[in-house]
Amino acid sequence: MDFVAFDFETASAKRTSACSLALVIVRDNQIVDELYSLINPQTEFNYRNVQIHGIREQDVQDAPTFGELWIHLAPFFTANSLVIAHNAPFDNGVLKATLTDQNLTLPTYQSLDTVRTSRKLSPELPNHKLNTVAAAYDIDLHHHHNALDDAHACAEILIHQVNQFGASAITPLIKTIN
């Protein structure tokens, strides 16, 4: 399968507060490229979010805004693109809220949530959190809540599922986002 795995970290509970983003590009079930960037959300950071991901306000002072990054990201979010995330409603929601907040056009793309695929294909797991699924599939998750490590783990989860269960077990769970 060809797809892009993505993950956001946010500065606060606000969906418009993206402070880091990673994309992991997969072609023919092989990771071929990645992109990681800090983002200046131009908003305050909540101490709880900082505890989770370790990104502080001073870390993003010189980082680009999401609007400045979007020109490089938009080609990955097209009607022909499959974009996946672990807990995709969160990441898709951050993308939509941030684009709307910055008056940028919302893309149409195909989305797949690896929480849903994991629930369907590995119902025996005690839960379907990223770290639990990664451990069950023997995937190394270096730093949970680091956007790049999380996106890598998500990509490897779907690669594992495609290899073990086949694409036909996964494609019914794909949704169109617009």
Side-chain angles (χ1 to χ4, degrees), residues 66 70 73-79 81 83 92 95-96 99-100 104-110 176-178:
F66 186 80
W70 183 242
L73 305 173
F76 296 102
F77 293 83
T78 68
S81 301
V83 182
N92 288 330
L95 180 64
K96 181 178 181 177
L99 290 168
T100 300
L104 296 167
T105 304
L106 298 175
T108 297
Y109 58 96
Q110 302 303 304
T176 299
I177 302 294
N178 53 8

Side-chain angles (χ1 to χ4, degrees), residues 86 115 118-119 122-133 136:
H86 201 80
V115 171
S118 299
R119 284 182 181 143
S122 300
E124 73 284 357
L125 296 179
N127 63 60
H128 295 88
K129 296 176 181 177
L130 183 63
N131 56 337
T132 303
V133 178

Side-chain angles (χ1 to χ4, degrees), residues 7 16 54 58 89 95 101 130 138 154 173 177:
D7 186 74
T16 57
Q58 58 266 35
L95 180 64
D101 185 61
L130 183 63
D138 229 9
C154 179
L173 299 175
I177 302 294

Side-chain angles (χ1 to χ4, degrees), residues 39-109:
I39 301 168
N40 186 338
Q42 301 175 312
T43 188
E44 292 183 15
F45 279 62
N46 180 284
Y47 76 95
R48 179 71 180 119
N49 291 63
V50 173
Q51 284 180 322
I52 292 169
H53 53 59
I55 301 168
R56 299 162 302 157
E57 206 163 337
Q58 58 266 35
D59 297 330
V60 301
Q61 284 178 353
D62 297 325
T65 65
F66 186 80
E68 292 167 336
L69 278 178
W70 183 242
I71 192 167
H72 305 289
L73 305 173
F76 296 102
F77 293 83
T78 68
N80 296 325
S81 301
L82 175 58
V83 182
I84 73 163
H86 201 80
N87 190 17
F90 171 80
D91 295 287
N92 288 330
V94 171
L95 180 64
K96 181 178 181 177
T98 304
L99 290 168
T100 300
D101 185 61
Q102 298 195 14
N103 295 313
L104 296 167
T105 304
L106 298 175
T108 297
Y109 58 96

